[in-house]
């Protein structure tokens, strides 16, 4: 249920080399040009958009590998109260 | 098939090897250093002496005939060489980075396993071409693309800085994976002399590190597709090239700094002998610079220890963590500034004797070499990366 919003945010902040519309939910974002540094901007935009906070251990290739994995991570984090 | 895993513990015979490095440093490398610097020429005699000690295969595991040294040992050798000739130390350090990329990331490749044995037998020297016209020092971005056709590849890269490109037996080159891959979707390919043309783009007449002969070339090469390392470049960079580069560079800068402090100490001792009752004023400055040198050494040692732990644990995610990457960047940022600071402080102690080119306390070459440290991968670029990564880090 989060995939559509995630898709929008990836398209604005992912700095990919292909249009996000051409990607499937399970396409490899790194192959589409996502870099480790660009994940930071993406993470900040997701945190802002969903009012969540990514713990350090989720800043991994597994989390940022595809729109589907990001949507799953957002869903998991949105279910938990944010601890600051 | 033997494992390509490198050893991380310190070898017991290493102390003897390190003494040999210092002997060669005194007898061969230091005597050539001024001529190498004056003429901006390759330090042939120094590299020949390192080949004789089998040091070009220092990081190759013993199973392949190498010395099987650990990253801690390699760091010590770089530091030792930095005392005698920074260009020789830099060539040695850059070669070790390339060897580490192969040792860590070509597991299971028949071509590279064979190549490692060849490297040991012939003491082959490997250079690096990451920097590219149009992208500068941004390692994670390439314009050029490798073209693979069946089991052959073709590659052309405009590389404005390839240290010892003309003296190297092979060059590890970054490029995009295919002509339609994203700029960040990169591979690392070994191109060999005999299969590679280097057409001159620019010369190397610089302030320091003159003996590295880091001229620019248009590099064109063809070869077998198996010369592409079978690991994506972003993993090679985060697990090996990034940490190893900053560790070996910082180690040799430490050697430059330690030699400058050694000269200052000898100078102060001479002053003290003239008037043994009253310690010279400069001895206070010596005490002061020693603190800074100690800090620099501690930074190198703690980065070496952390990296050795990660190698031991062999956990790919740990290398990718922003925490580790920023600490490695901090090592580079701080060492590259401390080396200038320390050589400058040593100059103040030696006074005109350090400033003169014709004195045994001369520090001119040390200072010129030291200023190169902040530029090889520009510190501002690295600081900007850290600034970004720190935004994401939440835990201490
Ligand atoms: C002794 C020596 C040996 C070398 N040997 C080799 C070698 O063998 N192989 C090789 O490939 N390269 C080699 N290099 C090149 C080195 O790795 C860097 O690529 C190079 O020094 C960068 O050059 P630059 O400062 O002109 O370019 P850039 O890195 O492009 O920097 C130029 C300027 O732009 C600024 N800048 C650019 N991008 C950013 C950013 N994103 N954030 C902040 N600031 C930015 C920098 O601060 C800097 O002021 C060597 C360099 C030296 C000094």
């Amino acid at each position: 249920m989060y995939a559509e919003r995630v898709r929008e945010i990836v398209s604005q902040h992912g700095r990919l080399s292909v249009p996000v519309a051409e990607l499937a939910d399970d396409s490899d974002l790194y192959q589409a040009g996502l870099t480790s540094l660009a994940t930071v901007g993406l993470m900040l935009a997701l945190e802002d958009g969903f009012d969540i906070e990514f713990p350090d251990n989720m800043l991994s290739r597994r989390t940022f590998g595809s729109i589907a994995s990001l949507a799953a991570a957002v869903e998991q984090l949105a279910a938990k109260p944010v601890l600051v | 098939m033997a494992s390509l895993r490198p050893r991380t513990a310190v070898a017991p015979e290493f102390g003897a090897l390190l003494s040999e490095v210092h002997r060669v440093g005194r007898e061969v490398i230091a005597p050539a250093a001024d001529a190498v610097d004056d003429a901006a020429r390759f330090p042939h005699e120094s590299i020949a002496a390192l080949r004789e000690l089998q040091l070009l295969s220092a990081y190759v595991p013993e199973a392949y005939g190498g010395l099987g040294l650990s990253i801690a040992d390699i760091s010590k050798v770089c530091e030792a060489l930095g005392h005698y000739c920074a260009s020789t130390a830099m060539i040695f350090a850059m070669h070790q980075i390339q060897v580490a990329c192969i040792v860590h990331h070509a597991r299971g490749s028949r071509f590279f396993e064979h190549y490692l044995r060849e490297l040991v037998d012939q003491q082959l020297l490997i250079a690096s071409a990451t920097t590219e016209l149009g992208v500068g020092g941004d390692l994670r971005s390439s314009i050029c693309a490798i073209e693979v056709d069946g089991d052959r590849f073709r590659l052309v890269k405009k590389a404005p800085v390839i240290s010892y490109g003309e003296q190297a037996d092979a060059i590890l080159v970054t490029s995009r994976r295919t002509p339609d891959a994203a700029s960040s979707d990169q591979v690392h390919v070994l191109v060999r002399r005999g299969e590679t043309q280097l057409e001159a783009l620019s010369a190397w007449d610089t302030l320091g590190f003159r003996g590295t002969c880091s001229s620019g070339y248009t590099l064109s090469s063809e070869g077998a597709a198996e010369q592409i390392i079978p690991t994506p470049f972003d993993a090679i960079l985060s697990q090996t090239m990034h940490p190893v580069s900053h560790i070996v560079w910082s180690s040799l800068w430490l050697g430059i700094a330690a030699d400058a402090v050694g000269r200052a100490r000898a100078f102060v001792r001479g002053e003290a002998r003239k008037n043994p009752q009253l310690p010279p004023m400069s001895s206070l400055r010596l005490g002061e610079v020693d603190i800074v040198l100690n800090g620099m050494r501690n930074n190198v040692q703690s980065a070496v220890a952390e990296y050795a732990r990660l190698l031991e644990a062999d956990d790919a995610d740990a290398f990718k963590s922003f925490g580790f990457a920023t600490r490695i960047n901090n090592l580079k940022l701080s060492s590259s500034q401390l080396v200038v600071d320390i050589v400058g402080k040593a100059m103040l102690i030696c006074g005109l004797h350090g400033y003169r080119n014709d004195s045994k306390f001369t520090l001119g070459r040390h200072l010129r070499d030291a200023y190169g440290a902040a530029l090889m991968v520009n510190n501002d670029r690295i600081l900007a990366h850290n600034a970004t990564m720190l935004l994401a880090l939440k835990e201490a």
Side-chain angles (χ1 to χ4, degrees), chain B residues 96-350:
Chain B
Q96 299 305 330
I97 300 165
Q98 315 316 309
V99 172
C101 289
I102 296 175
V103 167
H104 293 176
H105 301 287
R107 294 178 200 178
S109 151
R110 272 188 36 219
F111 170 81
F112 281 104
E113 298 208 335
H114 179 77
Y115 187 77
L116 283 179
R117 293 182 194 279
E118 219 172 276
L119 189 156
V120 173
D121 286 347
Q122 301 170 34
Q123 291 294 297
L124 300 176
L125 180 66
I126 312 179
S128 166
T130 56
T131 308
E132 184 171 15
L133 270 189
V135 292
D138 180 6
L139 285 161
R140 282 293 285 117
S141 165
S142 291
I143 295 171
C144 68
I146 194 162
E147 289 172 65
V148 179
D149 184 7
D151 57 3
R152 304 288 296 168
F153 79 82
R154 255 182 54 81
L155 176 63
V156 178
K157 178 166 185 165
K158 284 195 188 316
V161 207
I162 307 181
S163 296
Y164 53 95
E166 283 173 43
Q167 289 79 19
D169 299 293
I171 307 176
L172 267 179
V173 190
T174 48
S175 80
R176 285 184 298 131
R177 176 183 304 282
T178 61
D180 44 37
S183 60
S184 59
D185 186 8
Q186 297 159 290
V187 291
H188 211 188
V189 57
L190 185 86
V191 305
R192 294 193 285 186
R193 208 217 305 265
E195 297 172 340
T196 303
Q197 286 81 48
L198 294 177
E199 192 194 317
L201 272 180
S202 51
W204 183 254
D205 181 2
T206 48
L207 198 59
F209 287 113
R210 294 170 55 80
T212 60
C213 301
S214 309
S215 302
Y217 307 92
T218 301
L219 174 156
S220 324
S221 189
E222 288 181 31
E226 57 188 356
Q227 288 168 234
I228 302 170
I229 298 184
T231 303
F233 178 68
D234 70 329
I236 299 176
L237 183 66
S238 63
Q239 291 177 35
T240 302
M241 186 180 259
H242 179 242
V244 174
S245 296
H246 293 335
I247 284 172
V248 294
W249 292 349
S250 296
S251 304
L252 78 93
W253 301 332
L254 175 63
I256 298 173
D259 190 60
V261 172
R263 288 179 191 217
R265 210 164 39 221
F267 179 79
V268 173
R269 203 157 39 229
E271 295 289 287
R273 282 192 196 114
K274 286 182 204 153
N275 188 354
Q277 306 315 320
L278 189 70
M281 187 87 97
S282 53
S283 63
L284 284 183
R285 291 283 177 220
L286 185 63
E288 192 180 53
V289 72
D290 194 53
I291 303 173
V292 187
L293 181 66
N294 239 322
M296 185 179 182
R297 174 167 284 120
N298 288 342
N299 289 344
V300 172
Q301 287 174 350
S302 79
V304 166
E306 180 174 13
Y307 185 52
R309 273 198 307 277
L310 293 194
L311 283 178
E312 200 76 61
D314 201 16
D315 168 4
D317 278 351
F319 293 104
K320 282 204 184 302
S321 87
F322 285 155
F324 176 61
T326 31
R327 283 192 292 280
I328 289 293
N329 282 340
N330 285 340
L331 171 69
K332 196 277 180 178
L333 292 167
S334 68
S335 328
S336 59
Q337 294 171 69
L338 288 177
V339 63
V340 174
D341 183 32
I342 291 170
V343 176
K345 285 185 157 76
M347 179 93 77
L348 203 60
I349 293 170
C350 297

